[in-house]
Amino acid sequence: MPTTTPLVWEATIALIIGLLAFDYFFHVRKAHAPTLREAAVWSALYVGIALLFGVAVWTWGGADMGAEYFSGYITEKALSIDNVFVFLVIMASFKVPREDQQKVLLFGITFALIARTVFILLGAALIERFSWVFYLFGLALLVTAGNLLAPDDHSEDKPNIVVRIVRRMFHSSPHYDGDRLFTTYQGKRALTPMLLVMLAIGGTDILFAFDSIPAIFGLTQNVFIVFTATAFSLLGLRQLYFLVGGLLERLVYLSLGLAAILGFIGVKLVLHALHENNLPFINDGEPVPVIEISTWSSLVVIVGILAVTVVASLSSPRGKARVAVSGLRNRIAGYLDLSPRATAIQRRDAFADLRAAWTRVEGLEPRFKAMVKHADVLQADLQRACAAHAEATGQPPSDCRLDLPVPTPDENGDPA
């Protein structure tokens, strides 16, 4: 395996910084909500750049080094999709205007890259000095895999702990002032929700690093591969957010797939730790003769798990039910967010979309209706949208009701 020279490092870091700068100056500096086509084109471009970089690594470093890069990139990209779901929850909880979400996401990506670089350097230093760190990494991944099997705890009602501390310590405004981080509220300088949501994203990124860095060190100990696979998995995350935000609801088995991947890598790390063992209370400090999982086997297992996860999720009726409910929530929010200056045609089209989404939810099987999260809030929002439409158009108010049972506190199930 060739030595990574300072020139290679410098060129790679310059490429990554250049891509971040390009993203800011040409896409994010001017607030706007990207179209689906724009998000798709740029997502494909960033994935293409990552794949071309992997081909370059393969050509320069050999097949094993290339396989390590692609294993790490695919794993980190899969974990980043789960990050996107959490970002969706945070954005919704702070009610970030859609045109300003790009700036928040780019900050989150930049912060994540810096934080994970620190974790990578610390992890590499620990591994070089203490081989028993592999035991800790493996245990951490197995615990994380177990947590992913627990019921989903993403909630829009729980402020990030960093945000709660900042709100207690500093004067903050409940209202946005464009994309400004500070404003004047009640006669005093105050933090805006824009700054608070950036803090929430940053705090969440640190937590994600505790999962992602041990995971990739379980696939390779080459610091260059660890860094580049992590960096390229984060680049393009902003576009991925706008591209697959609505489709993430379909990936109902994503947590199971990620749990399987992290569990597999955790076992691989423990086996590697046993193979390199020098702890005196295990086999008298001698290496344990165990099977080691090769890089190629890891790549095949990871790709296989992700393929099964996606196919099973897309064919799941529960995933389709989630999309229907999520679509109705979005259509309701879209109508209620219409400007008072919206034309009659705009209102008609928006309400037609809302009614179509409403019909899809009404057509769900009772078992899926019983799993809708915050059904009473959904009912109330639908009635508000119908009342607003009636008032704006001068039409009689519609009977906006959904046949949704309100779940009792002891009901179990995966809410839609």
Side-chain angles (χ1 to χ4, degrees):
M1 187 175 293
T3 303
T4 307
T5 64
L7 179 62
V8 173
W9 272 105
E10 291 167 5
T12 302
I13 293 172
L15 172 64
I16 292 169
I17 293 175
L19 289 171
L20 285 172
F22 177 84
D23 221 5
Y24 176 75
F25 285 105
F26 289 94
H27 293 106
V28 175
R29 188 169 59 170
K30 183 179 179 181
H32 74 285
T35 63
L36 185 64
R37 182 179 181 278
E38 179 185 343
V41 169
W42 287 104
S43 291
L45 179 63
Y46 277 101
V47 171
I49 291 172
L51 295 179
L52 286 175
F53 186 86
V55 171
V57 170
W58 193 302
T59 303
W60 166 68
D64 287 340
M65 193 170 178
E68 287 180 356
Y69 170 83
F70 283 112
S71 297
Y73 173 74
I74 292 170
T75 299
E76 293 296 307
K77 200 67 175 178
L79 290 170
S80 73
I81 292 175
D82 195 46
N83 297 11
V84 168
F85 184 82
V86 178
F87 290 166
L88 284 167
V89 173
I90 292 174
M91 295 285 194
S93 66
F94 281 90
K95 297 180 174 59
V96 181
R98 189 169 175 81
E99 62 272 14
D100 292 324
Q101 291 180 2
Q102 293 199 90
K103 188 164 290 187
V104 176
L105 288 168
L106 187 60
F107 164 81
I109 291 167
T110 305
F111 184 88
L113 192 53
I114 295 171
R116 294 185 194 195
T117 299
V118 173
F119 276 92
I120 288 169
L121 295 176
L122 289 175
L126 287 173
I127 287 171
E128 187 175 350
R129 296 190 60 184
F130 310 107
S131 62
W132 50 262
V133 168
F134 286 113
Y135 286 113
L136 296 182
F137 281 0
L139 179 61
L141 290 182
L142 291 173
V143 170
T144 301
N147 290 337
L148 285 172
L149 296 176
D152 191 5
D153 192 38
H154 298 320
S155 173
E156 297 179 12
D157 304 322
K158 296 180 180 178
N160 184 286
I161 186 171
V162 176
V163 174
R164 294 202 301 269
I165 293 173
V166 171
R167 276 179 171 162
R168 288 175 184 168
M169 294 179 62
F170 300 96
H171 183 55
S172 61
S173 164
H175 308 296
Y176 286 91
D177 187 4
D179 60 359
R180 295 178 181 174
L181 304 182
F182 298 92
T183 188
T184 301
Y185 176 65
Q186 295 178 339
K188 295 189 293 184
R189 188 169 176 79
L191 311 179
T192 67
M194 181 61 69
L195 178 57
L196 296 178
V197 72
M198 286 184 173
L199 291 174
I201 294 285
T204 305
D205 280 332
I206 292 176
L207 296 178
F208 284 139
F210 283 102
D211 299 339
S212 66
I213 299 308
I216 194 166
F217 269 119
L219 298 169
T220 176
Q221 285 82 60
N222 185 318
V223 178
F224 179 75
I225 298 299
V226 171
F227 173 75
T228 53
T230 301
F232 281 107
S233 72
L234 290 171
L235 292 173
L237 195 60
R238 176 183 64 80
Q239 293 84 356
L240 187 68
Y241 172 92
F242 291 100
L243 179 63
V244 304
L247 299 179
L248 285 178
E249 297 288 345
R250 289 295 300 273
L251 299 178
V252 292
Y253 300 122
L254 177 61
S255 292
L256 293 177
L258 291 178
I261 290 173
L262 293 181
F264 167 76
I265 299 175
V267 170
K268 183 178 186 295
L269 274 171
V270 172
L271 291 175
H272 181 72
L274 290 170
H275 190 268
E276 303 290 330
N277 178 64
N278 58 13
L279 294 178
F281 53 85
I282 298 179
N283 198 35
D284 295 326
E286 296 295 323
V288 181
V290 294
I291 298 174
E292 280 221 86
I293 302 171
S294 69
T295 300
W296 287 97
S297 298
S298 300
L299 180 59
V300 170
V301 170
I302 291 167
V303 171
I305 291 173
L306 284 177
V308 171
T309 299
V310 171
V311 171
S313 294
L314 294 180
S315 60
S316 166
R318 182 156 55 97
K320 296 176 183 177
R322 276 190 173 188
V323 172
V325 175
S326 176
L328 178 57
R329 294 188 197 276
N330 291 336
R331 296 295 184 275
I332 291 173
Y335 189 88
L336 292 174
D337 287 344
L338 283 176
S339 167
R341 297 186 297 274
T343 65
I345 294 177
Q346 289 175 320
R347 289 193 173 276
R348 183 196 64 195
D349 292 345
F351 194 75
D353 290 341
L354 186 155
R355 185 174 287 279
W358 173 14
T359 302
R360 284 193 290 271
V361 173
E362 275 291 87
L364 295 177
E365 296 179 31
R367 62 190 176 112
F368 294 127
K369 288 184 178 181
M371 294 161 60
V372 173
K373 188 178 182 181
H374 302 314
D376 52 342
V377 176
L378 181 60
Q379 294 273 18
D381 288 344
L382 176 61
Q383 290 177 334
R384 280 201 305 128
C386 288
H389 183 68
E391 182 179 353
T393 60
Q395 298 176 356
S398 304
D399 182 20
C400 293
R401 295 291 302 170
L402 281 165
D403 183 23
L404 295 178
V406 179
T408 58
D410 59 346
E411 277 185 341
N412 294 320
D414 189 12

